[in-house]
Amino acid sequence: MRAKKAGAHFATLLLAALSLAACGGSPADPSPPPDQKLDAANRAGTQALSLGMPAQAVRQYKQALARAYERDDAEAIADTAYNLALAEIRAGDPKAALSTTRTTEAELRRRQVAAPAELLLVQAAAAYRAGDLTTAASAAEQALTLKARDPDTAPRAWFIRGLVAADRGDSATLAQAIAALPAAASAKQAADLQADRQELVGRAALLDGRAADALAAFEQAAANRQQAIDYRGMARALAQAGEAALKLGQSAEAAVFYLRAGRSSLLQGDTAAATPQLKRAEELARQTSQTGIVEEIARLRKAAAEKRTAGT
């Protein structure tokens, strides 16, 4: 999903590589004139997000959203709330992102303005990461019914619908989601969009009992997530590869996948994901006598604890 400039068209962005698009105007343009404070806060937030500093991005986008309310600009409110929710997700706080989107929806309803598809998409993503599958599915379905400004909105919504379906064991809806995503990779197709489909293909293969096919799909997904600089998604795909390896009886290989996933998650500051991933890696490493992995996990935990202590 892409960050947006309030009152302008979507920025060109692939996950962590963000850039603001210039917004133009003309004497006949009915849009409100630019607000320099609002635009400056949005630019600062987008720059922070592009540099991998989501907490700082959250602070900047909150300032921008307050300015949008001060300006009483519905479009700016919707666009900036989208940016804030996206930053909150990347800061590891999907519940805050979900609250941001719901508050914005309520504000737009009071104005009798329809919530944009992109806001519903980020709501679906936040709900999924918060474990609220019902809201995730509903928001993704709503996003698909609306005309989106960003061409990636529909495939992203289908991806979330597919993830929910996989978690629920709903093979029919999962197959529908896979069919809705482009199958052939091309120079124009973004690596993260390819990874979306590969991840769903892997989930479907697991449901069908085809663990070898699932493992291959998850490894491809992880490689594409890495290329897209989506390290959180990469870690998720690596953990799924570990699950597939376990189903193939490859416990030693699974330990390596979980170690790689957990290490990346920990270095990203995503302890919620890192803790179970590293715990699983350690359990499997002990079972398969891989002392090097056990030692590496101990080193990672010690380094993380020292970093936390230094930060207090």
Side-chain angles (χ1 to χ4, degrees):
M1 288 180 287
R2 298 182 172 89
K4 297 193 287 185
K5 183 172 182 180
H9 55 74
F10 269 93
T12 301
L13 159 69
L14 289 178
L15 294 173
L18 300 94
S19 64
L20 283 172
C23 76
S26 68
D29 190 343
S31 300
D35 182 308
Q36 293 183 355
K37 288 185 178 180
L38 174 60
D39 289 347
N42 268 314
R43 281 195 299 271
T46 300
Q47 183 178 22
L49 205 55
S50 70
L51 294 174
M53 298 184 291
Q56 183 175 334
V58 168
R59 289 194 295 271
Q60 293 295 334
Y61 284 138
K62 282 184 176 179
Q63 292 180 21
L65 185 56
R67 185 67 173 182
Y69 274 105
E70 180 182 351
R71 178 181 170 87
D72 194 37
D73 184 335
E75 183 179 3
I77 290 169
D79 286 355
T80 307
Y82 170 96
N83 289 343
L84 173 57
L86 183 60
E88 287 170 332
I89 290 175
R90 294 189 187 164
D93 196 352
K95 290 183 178 179
L98 191 55
S99 177
T100 294
T101 61
R102 284 173 168 164
T103 299
T104 305
E105 267 196 297
E107 173 64 22
L108 294 175
R109 279 197 301 271
R110 282 192 289 268
R111 297 166 175 264
Q112 299 183 353
V113 175
E118 291 78 13
L119 184 67
L120 291 166
L121 173 62
V122 78
Q123 181 178 96
Y128 182 78
R129 294 198 181 185
D132 185 349
L133 298 187
T134 300
T135 298
S138 175
E141 289 170 12
Q142 289 180 66
L144 287 169
T145 66
L146 300 172
K147 184 178 181 180
R149 289 180 286 174
D150 186 339
D152 288 348
T153 297
R156 299 286 189 205
W158 274 113
F159 175 58
I160 294 173
R161 284 199 70 189
L163 290 177
V164 172
D167 287 352
R168 290 173 168 172
D170 182 356
S171 298
T173 302
L174 178 54
Q176 187 181 13
I178 292 171
L181 298 177
S186 68
K188 292 182 178 180
Q189 187 180 349
D192 55 338
L193 290 176
Q194 295 179 43
D196 286 353
R197 190 177 195 279
Q198 290 158 352
E199 196 169 327
L200 293 186
V201 167
R203 297 291 298 271
L206 279 182
L207 287 179
D208 292 343
R210 294 179 289 107
D213 292 338
L215 178 57
F218 290 139
E219 287 189 280
Q220 290 173 353
N224 275 314
R225 298 287 187 209
Q226 181 193 67
Q227 185 179 343
I229 321 180
D230 175 13
Y231 301 145
R232 187 182 296 268
M234 180 194 72
R236 182 180 63 245
L238 287 171
Q240 291 172 332
E243 181 183 352
L246 270 180
K247 290 186 179 298
L248 289 169
Q250 300 173 358
S251 298
E253 290 82 353
V256 175
F257 281 122
Y258 279 115
L259 168 64
R260 291 165 60 191
R263 178 169 52 201
S264 181
S265 295
L266 190 66
L267 293 173
Q268 293 172 55
D270 186 0
T271 55
T275 299
Q277 290 164 353
L278 290 176
K279 180 180 180 182
R280 193 68 175 125
E282 184 177 30
E283 291 171 348
L284 292 169
R286 291 187 185 281
Q287 292 173 14
T288 54
S289 302
Q290 296 184 86
T291 56
I293 290 179
V294 175
E295 291 170 356
E296 171 67 359
I297 292 171
R299 184 193 68 79
L300 288 167
R301 287 171 174 160
K302 181 180 178 182
E306 290 174 349
K307 185 177 179 180
R308 286 194 299 272
T309 301
T312 57

